[in-house]
């Protein structure tokens, strides 16, 4: 307080002159309203009146009533009324070009004055009678947000300045969240937040975290914008490492960008592959190659990897060469080097450091096995073993290997497959995949978080390993196909079994799923019970008796699969 | 409305705009800066008030200029109507 002081006599005189000036400005504004040509000028008049009401009058009132300069009272002018009149003025479209600049000046001042008040948790409007009324506050905030949003949309330069101050005034984000803002604005704000991310835990980090959440949530319905956001190196590092981001939202945005965007527009598949390549690079950069990614990014990347596997799984055979993403499907064809085999191994390893990533990649392995047995064109049987080998090498410890293996076996036996490739028809997503797959292929991704929250208890999965899991996956897929595919049975020369036999076998396969996922363990990613595998073995035996032995031998006797069983389980 | 009446109306509007400009420039708000010096009050908040006021006064000066510019445009338009009125009168004659 030592640097504050005033002369009571002079302040009293000043207060009276202020009243006179405000009254004169109010009269002027009324007089000028009669002529549209005076619109710009009357804005300046009202702005001056507002500034005096907001800053001068409360302070002078305090001084003339005996208070010291320690408080800050608002004026009697309703901010919402003022702002609404500004918006209404604009809508009148008076033929004066300078009106835009007048509104710009208005908003700049309001931005400084009102956002600062919001950041200090002061009421936006000035009559304390209404400051605690939620409806009044909401109306005033909405009015301010509307004017700001209008200015942002109309003036790229103003939008740039607003984006720049967001990291310092996160309250501005909350305000703008009540208005409809375009995706590019949210993306720009997120890039700015990524650049200015505070790394010290505290109020600033918390505020930025809230701001980031608002913008990420707003960006989510626009997959192409999410993909574009992932093209920014600062944002990628931010997602990979900043501790205060909402991890569920990060996963959602990554899935929307890397999976949702190419699904809705195949021309974006190449951009998705490029983003994936950048994440492979990031996983091999210091310090991420030591610490891995944050859980949300790991989960999001693992959930979307299935879309890209068909583009690069063919080049995994050359285990010491380059891994190429190749697409000849819809959209422009392309070949793109994702990285060396070791680079991709490290990338997958980064995803496997979190339980959600392990669950996703386990389910992906199971899906590859199912699709390979079903002769789907995007994956061959050999690819299953090659992808399993990649996962085995990527897992940096035995626990991680076991967790992925358990997830794969569970996914196989319960039918909770994910999605492979981008050419997913609505029918497939509705019936051929588990909830996770439907989720990834669809709009929402919130259920992904169920997987993220699950924890694999290594104590319960000591029997799980890749060679056994690979066998069970193929066994389940082959049995399911023999039961479901009459054409295949005919081609194999099998005697067509009676319908009731097929129904019984189908029921037993359903029973496998039930045994594999008992209700009481629904939240655990543990190993399915041994009973499930006994029932599955029984189904296989019945199918062999019916003449399906040759097909089962072909699937289960692939040399590449048996190669896996000979490999040591321990990590590299 | 005849060209003559339009011209009169536009000149009236122009005059009102010029009057407004004068009223803005002679408004008592301009006295506040002089009355609110350090000998009246000092400190961060008075300084903020003065800063805001200087910005507002600058805008008011521009507003007065703008009003005169609008008045000039209206008068130009009035002259055009005068010319049309003369033209019509000569044709009639």
């Amino acid at each position: 307080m030592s640097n504050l002081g005033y002369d009571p006599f002079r302040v009293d005189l000043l207060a009276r002159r202020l009243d006179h000036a405000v009254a004169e400005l109010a009269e002027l504004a009324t007089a000028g309203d009669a002529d549209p040509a005076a619109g710009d000028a009357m804005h300046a008049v009202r702005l001056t009146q507002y500034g005096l009401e907001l800053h001068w009058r409360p302070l002078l009132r305090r001084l003339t009533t005996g208070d010291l300069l320690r408080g800050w009272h608002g004026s009697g002018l309703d901010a919402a009324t003022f702002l609404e009149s500004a918006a209404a003025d604009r809508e009148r479209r008076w033929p004066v070009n300078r009106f835009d600049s007048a509104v710009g000046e208005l908003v700049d001042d309001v931005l400084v004055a009102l956002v600062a008040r919001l950041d200090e948790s002061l009421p936006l409007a000035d009559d304390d009678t209404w400051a605690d009324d939620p409806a009044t506050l909401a109306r005033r905030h909405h009015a301010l947000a509307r004017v700001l949003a209008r200015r942002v949309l109309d003036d790229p330069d103003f939008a740039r300045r607003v984006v720049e101050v967001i990291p310092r005034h996160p309250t501005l984000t909350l305000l703008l969240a009540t208005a409809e803002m375009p995706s590019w604005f949210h993306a720009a704000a997120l890039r700015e937040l990524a650049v200015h991310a505070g790394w010290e835990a505290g109020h600033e980090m918390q505020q930025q975290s809230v701001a980031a959440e608002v913008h990420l949530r707003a960006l989510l319905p626009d997959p192409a914008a999410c993909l574009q956001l992932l093209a920014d190196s600062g944002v990628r590092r931010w997602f990979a490492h900043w501790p205060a981001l909402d991890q569920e939202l990060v996963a959602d945005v990554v899935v929307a960008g890397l999976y949702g965007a190419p699904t809705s527009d195949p021309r974006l598949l190449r951009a998705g592959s490029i983003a994936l390549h950048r994440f492979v690079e990031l996983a091999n950069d210091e310090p991420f190659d030591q610490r891995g990614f944050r859980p949300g990014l790991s989960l999001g990347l693992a959930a979307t990897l299935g879309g890209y596997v068909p583009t690069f799984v063919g080049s995994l055979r050359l285990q010491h060469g380059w891994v190429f993403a190749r697409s000849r499907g819809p959209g422009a064809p392309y070949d793109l080097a994702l990285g060396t085999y070791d680079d991709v191994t490290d990338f997958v390893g980064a995803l496997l450091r979190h339980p959600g990533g392990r669950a996703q990649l386990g389910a992906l392995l199971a899906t590859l096995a199912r699709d390979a047995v079903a002769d789907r064109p995007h994956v061959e049987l050999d690819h299953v073993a090659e992808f399993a080998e990649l996962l085995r090498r990527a897992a940096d410890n035995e626990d991680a290997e076991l967790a992925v293996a358990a997830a794969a076996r569970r996914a196989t036996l319960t039918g909770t497959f994910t999605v492979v490739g981008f050419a997913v028809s609505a029918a497939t997503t509705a019936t051929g995949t588990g909830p996770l797959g439907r989720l990834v292929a669809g709009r929402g991704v919130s259920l992904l978080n169920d997987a993220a929250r699950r924890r694999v208890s290594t104590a319960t999965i000591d029997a799980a390993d890749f060679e056994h899991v690979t066998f069970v996956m193929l066994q389940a897929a082959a049995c399911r196909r023999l039961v479901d595919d009459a054409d295949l049975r005919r081609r194999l020369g099998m005697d067509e079994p009676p319908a009731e036999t097929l129904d019984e076998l189908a029921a037993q396969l359903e029973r496998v799923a039930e045994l594999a996922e008992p209700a009481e363990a629904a939240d655990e990613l543990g190993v399915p019970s041994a009973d499930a595998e006994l029932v599955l073995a029984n189904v296989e035996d019945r199918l062999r008796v019916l003449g399906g032995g040759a097909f089962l031998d072909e699937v289960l006797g692939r040399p590449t699969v048996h190669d896996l069983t000979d490999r040591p389980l321990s990590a590299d | 409305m005849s060209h003559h009446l339009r011209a009169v109306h536009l000149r009236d509007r122009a005059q009102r705009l010029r009057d407004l400009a004068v009223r803005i420039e002679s408004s008592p708000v301009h006295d506040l800066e002089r009355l609110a010096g350090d000998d009246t009050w000092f400190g961060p908040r008075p300084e903020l008030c003065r800063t805001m006021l200087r910005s507002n006064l600058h805008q008011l000066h521009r507003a007065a200029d703008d009003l005169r510019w609008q008045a000039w445009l209206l008068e130009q338009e009035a002259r055009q109507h005068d010319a049309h009125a003369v033209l019509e009168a000569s044709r009639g004659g």
Side-chain angles (χ1 to χ4, degrees):
Chain A
M1 302 292 292
S2 61
N3 61 342
L4 298 176
Y6 63 97
D7 179 331
F9 175 78
R10 284 174 174 272
V11 162
D12 191 56
L13 176 65
L14 182 61
R16 279 186 278 120
R17 294 297 291 180
L18 175 76
D19 288 343
H20 185 202
V22 169
E24 171 72 14
L25 289 172
E27 272 186 34
L28 258 174
T30 307
D33 267 344
D35 196 323
D40 269 354
M42 291 310 106
H43 250 287
V45 169
R46 276 196 287 269
L47 179 62
T48 306
Q49 181 192 353
Y50 184 66
L52 295 176
E53 295 272 11
L54 183 69
H55 294 283
W56 288 64
R57 180 165 274 169
L59 187 51
L60 286 169
R61 191 186 298 147
R62 274 274 169 128
L63 297 179
T64 52
T65 54
D67 280 345
L68 294 174
L69 296 174
R70 66 166 77 95
W72 186 258
H73 288 224
S75 78
L77 189 64
D78 186 322
T81 304
F82 177 76
L83 293 164
E84 281 165 357
S85 74
D89 283 348
R90 182 176 174 73
E91 280 161 7
R92 282 180 217 163
R93 297 179 184 281
W94 283 337
V96 181
N97 292 335
R98 279 185 48 199
F99 186 81
D100 280 348
S101 64
V103 173
E105 287 154 14
L106 159 74
V107 173
D108 284 352
D109 283 349
V110 170
L111 183 70
V112 171
L114 296 189
V115 172
R117 287 169 70 85
L118 287 171
D119 273 348
E120 293 171 27
S121 300
L122 291 168
L124 180 62
D126 308 314
D127 45 349
D128 291 335
T129 312
W130 295 99
D132 294 330
D133 175 41
T136 303
L137 285 178
R139 186 170 59 83
R140 291 167 176 167
H141 289 185
H142 183 65
L144 177 57
R146 207 171 53 196
V147 173
L148 287 172
R150 201 185 294 264
R151 289 286 297 126
V152 164
L153 291 174
D154 286 356
D155 183 350
D157 187 52
F158 181 78
R160 184 180 52 75
R161 278 183 286 147
V162 169
V163 164
E164 281 172 1
V165 302
I166 277 177
R168 280 181 285 116
H169 290 294
T171 312
L172 187 57
T173 287
L174 300 181
L175 195 63
L176 290 173
T178 64
E180 284 280 331
M181 304 300 290
S183 294
W184 61 258
F185 176 79
H186 294 297
L190 287 164
R191 281 194 291 269
E192 199 68 28
L193 282 164
V195 170
H196 295 96
W199 291 89
E200 247 179 65
H203 183 65
E204 186 194 18
M205 180 185 269
Q206 196 179 5
Q207 292 261 4
Q208 290 186 350
S209 169
V210 172
E213 181 180 339
V214 168
H215 290 297
L216 286 172
R217 210 173 284 287
L219 199 65
L220 202 51
D222 188 345
C226 291
L227 178 57
Q228 205 169 11
L229 182 72
L230 295 176
D232 185 277
S233 62
V235 170
R236 286 195 300 271
R237 286 184 168 272
W238 192 45
F239 277 10
H241 200 38
W242 200 54
L245 282 172
D246 182 320
Q247 294 302 302
E248 294 184 2
L249 261 180
V250 170
D252 290 351
V253 167
V254 171
V255 170
L258 288 184
Y259 196 91
T263 301
S264 56
D265 184 355
R267 290 170 301 177
L268 295 175
L269 180 56
R270 185 172 188 275
S273 289
I274 292 172
L276 193 64
H277 161 63
R278 299 295 182 204
F279 279 115
V280 170
E281 284 184 333
L282 186 59
N284 287 275
D285 275 355
E286 291 280 355
F288 302 104
D289 59 343
Q290 300 298 317
R291 289 187 289 199
F293 298 147
R294 301 282 309 165
L297 182 59
S298 291
L299 178 62
L301 288 170
T304 53
L305 198 61
Y308 296 88
V309 158
T311 68
F312 70 79
V313 71
S315 59
L316 291 179
R317 193 169 298 146
L318 306 169
Q319 292 183 357
H320 299 290
W322 285 82
V323 177
F324 286 92
R326 166 174 293 193
S327 173
R328 295 291 179 269
Y334 66 89
D335 288 280
L336 180 81
L338 289 180
T340 66
Y341 187 88
D342 288 343
D343 290 341
V344 175
T345 304
D346 286 346
F347 167 70
V348 175
L351 309 187
L352 291 179
R353 287 182 193 165
H354 295 283
R358 294 170 191 167
Q360 283 288 337
L361 294 182
L364 174 56
L365 180 60
T367 310
L368 281 178
R370 180 202 62 175
D371 288 1
V373 171
D375 278 344
R376 292 191 179 158
H378 54 255
V379 59
E380 298 169 13
L381 204 51
D382 290 349
H383 293 159
V384 182
E386 284 151 11
F387 190 69
E389 175 64 8
L390 176 69
L391 291 181
R392 193 185 69 77
R393 287 178 182 235
D396 59 355
N397 60 58
E398 194 167 312
D399 281 354
E401 278 189 55
L402 295 176
V404 179
R409 182 160 60 169
R410 179 188 171 90
T412 300
L413 296 179
T414 59
T416 50
F417 298 111
T418 183
V419 177
V420 170
F422 286 96
V424 183
S425 73
T428 303
T429 55
T431 61
T433 66
L436 198 61
R438 287 197 295 277
L439 195 68
V440 171
R443 146 194 91 68
V445 286
S446 59
L447 278 181
L448 277 175
N449 304 312
D450 292 346
R453 281 193 288 271
R454 290 174 179 169
R455 296 292 178 270
V456 175
S457 167
T458 53
T460 64
I461 57 171
D462 53 356
D465 53 55
F466 269 103
E467 51 267 44
H468 183 63
V469 164
T470 310
F471 178 83
V472 173
M473 286 190 309
L474 295 175
Q475 183 189 29
C479 290
R480 169 60 71 183
R481 186 166 179 213
L482 277 174
V483 170
D484 291 347
D485 191 341
D487 284 344
L488 176 65
R489 292 196 296 272
R490 256 195 311 279
R491 287 205 305 274
L492 293 171
M494 291 172 64
D495 294 331
E496 186 60 15
E500 54 268 28
T501 302
L502 289 174
D503 289 345
E504 185 199 340
L505 289 171
Q508 288 202 36
L509 287 173
E510 292 297 319
R511 176 78 179 136
V512 168
E514 288 171 16
L515 287 170
E517 191 170 27
E520 63 270 21
D523 292 332
E524 292 290 328
L525 255 181
V527 172
S529 73
D531 289 347
E533 290 182 14
L534 283 175
V535 175
L536 184 60
N538 179 48
V539 173
E540 183 194 337
D541 287 345
R542 297 277 302 277
L543 288 167
R544 283 181 183 277
V545 169
L546 291 169
F551 176 71
L552 289 164
D553 285 342
E554 183 194 345
V555 171
L556 301 177
R558 298 289 293 199
T560 49
V561 176
H562 284 300
D563 280 351
L564 270 180
T565 62
D566 296 334
R567 286 179 182 142
L569 185 63
S570 58
D572 287 337
Chain B
M1 190 185 290
S2 70
H3 284 294
H4 174 68
L5 286 178
R6 280 181 189 161
V8 169
H9 175 66
L10 288 169
R11 287 200 172 87
D12 283 344
R13 281 182 64 196
Q15 186 55 49
R16 280 197 294 274
L17 293 182
R18 289 185 191 283
D19 291 343
L20 276 175
V22 171
R23 281 183 69 182
I24 285 176
E25 286 175 334
S26 58
S27 163
V29 73
H30 296 279
D31 298 333
L32 294 181
E33 192 174 23
R34 178 176 52 80
L35 292 170
D38 276 342
D39 51 351
T40 300
W41 58 358
F42 62 87
R45 285 195 168 147
E47 188 56 41
L48 173 65
C49 288
R50 283 194 289 262
T51 304
M52 295 291 293
L53 180 65
R54 275 194 289 273
S55 168
N56 290 143
L57 292 180
H58 177 66
Q59 288 160 348
L60 287 177
H61 285 303
R62 284 176 58 186
D65 289 343
D66 182 57
L67 285 170
R68 292 196 174 93
W69 169 250
Q70 295 299 327
W72 185 83
L73 291 177
L74 293 175
E75 283 167 349
Q76 290 298 107
E77 202 178 333
R79 284 195 192 99
Q80 287 182 10
H81 283 292
D82 285 341
H84 279 291
V86 170
L87 193 62
E88 280 180 4
S90 64
R91 280 178 182 156

